[in-house]
Amino acid sequence: MTVTERDLANAVFELSAYVSSLPSKEEAEAINSAALKIFAAWIAQQGLPNEKAHELFNSVVAPGPIQAAAEQGRKRWLQRRSS
């Protein structure tokens, strides 16, 4: 499987759409599996030595703006829920 940056951008967009609709457990598992396959294929196709592949993996999975936004949303939800 060859993964392009367009594939990754499309996957991020599709995941954002599914997450916004809060899928069932089965949908979430299927979505997660497909996303991880794309991610793993992209890491593998870089052809990096193990150490560099691990560095790339760690840099991509590091907390970023989507995780920060999710945390803010969770805080707002908890505040609204406790009001």
Side-chain angles (χ1 to χ4, degrees):
M1 171 183 219
T2 299
V3 179
T4 67
E5 289 181 13
R6 182 180 175 91
D7 293 330
L8 293 173
N10 183 254
V12 168
F13 177 80
E14 287 185 27
L15 287 171
S16 71
Y18 279 107
V19 167
S20 69
S21 66
L22 299 174
S24 67
K25 178 182 176 185
E26 292 78 11
E27 285 176 304
E29 288 173 354
I31 291 165
N32 189 46
S33 176
L36 289 176
K37 283 180 187 175
I38 292 168
F39 181 69
W42 178 73
I43 293 283
Q45 84 185 31
Q46 302 309 305
L48 299 171
N50 284 343
E51 183 179 321
K52 293 292 184 185
H54 287 188
E55 288 175 15
L56 177 59
F57 172 85
N58 289 333
S59 72
V60 174
V61 300
I66 292 175
Q67 183 176 342
E71 289 172 7
Q72 288 299 317
R74 191 172 15 263
K75 285 179 188 176
R76 286 193 306 269
W77 178 77
L78 289 171
Q79 289 171 346
R80 189 178 62 219
R81 185 175 167 201
S82 64
S83 298

